[in-house]
Amino acid sequence: MNFNTKSPWILHYDGTSCNGCDIEVLACLTPLYDVERFGVINTGNPRHADILLITGSVNDQSIPVVKQLYEQMADPKVVVAVGICATSGGLFTDCYNVVGGVDKVLPVDVYVPGCAARPQAIIDGVVKALAILDEKQNAMKK
Ligand code: SF4
């Protein structure tokens, strides 16, 4: 990893999750894990975000939203799918309106397993995303 990497700002979007993974994402911000001490910010503005972190599968209703959020983010950007629903559709795969995991709609860079995904796994996913963000940034400089 490049040591010049800045702390990433994250946009968290809940596709269609049961909120289990969202609670674990929020746990990363609590004093026990406290990712903000490393400068990681959970921003609500896609234009400020480096990482799009999605929980839950995507359905017909959420597809345009997910696409719009991604398009509003500046390059380089990384997509992290958190939890089995976001990575593959999970429990809800057979629901009438579920299209599947996030990679049915966007290029996913990091897959974080779990139901719910544990905070340690989510933080590990963000660290992996940082390395990919670095690679994309370096590729843009060439
Ligand atoms: S992976 Fe499990 S906890 Fe996470 S949104 Fe899906 S059902 Fe809920």
Side-chain angles (χ1 to χ4, degrees):
M1 185 184 301
N2 183 343
F3 287 101
N4 292 323
T5 302
K6 76 177 187 74
S7 300
W9 285 27
I10 295 172
L11 177 68
H12 169 209
Y13 179 73
D14 170 4
T16 58
S17 91
C18 73
N19 284 147
C21 284
D22 302 303
I23 290 167
E24 301 302 330
V25 170
L26 293 178
C28 298
L29 302 169
T30 59
L32 185 60
Y33 300 101
D34 195 13
V35 293
E36 285 185 342
R37 74 195 137 129
F38 302 117
V40 179
I41 301 286
N42 186 15
T43 178
N45 188 337
R47 292 187 172 87
H48 296 168
D50 308 293
I51 298 174
L52 177 56
L53 191 149
I54 303 183
T55 53
S57 55
V58 288
N59 63 18
D60 292 333
Q61 209 170 11
S62 65
I63 285 174
V65 180
V66 168
K67 281 184 176 171
Q68 191 179 37
L69 289 173
Y70 182 75
E71 283 160 12
Q72 286 177 327
M73 291 170 66
D75 288 319
K77 53 194 169 189
V78 175
V79 178
V80 179
V82 171
I84 199 70
C85 292
T87 57
S88 70
L91 287 178
F92 304 105
T93 303
D94 294 331
C95 289
Y96 71 96
N97 62 342
V98 168
V99 175
V102 178
D103 60 7
K104 297 277 189 210
V105 183
L106 297 181
V108 173
D109 299 283
V110 180
Y111 294 84
V112 177
C115 178
R118 292 176 61 83
Q120 296 93 329
I122 297 168
I123 293 168
D124 184 58
V126 169
V127 171
K128 285 182 177 136
L130 261 179
I132 295 168
L133 200 58
D134 251 7
E135 286 170 21
K136 289 187 178 186
Q137 196 159 28
N138 290 336
M140 284 174 69
K141 286 179 189 164
K142 289 177 186 167

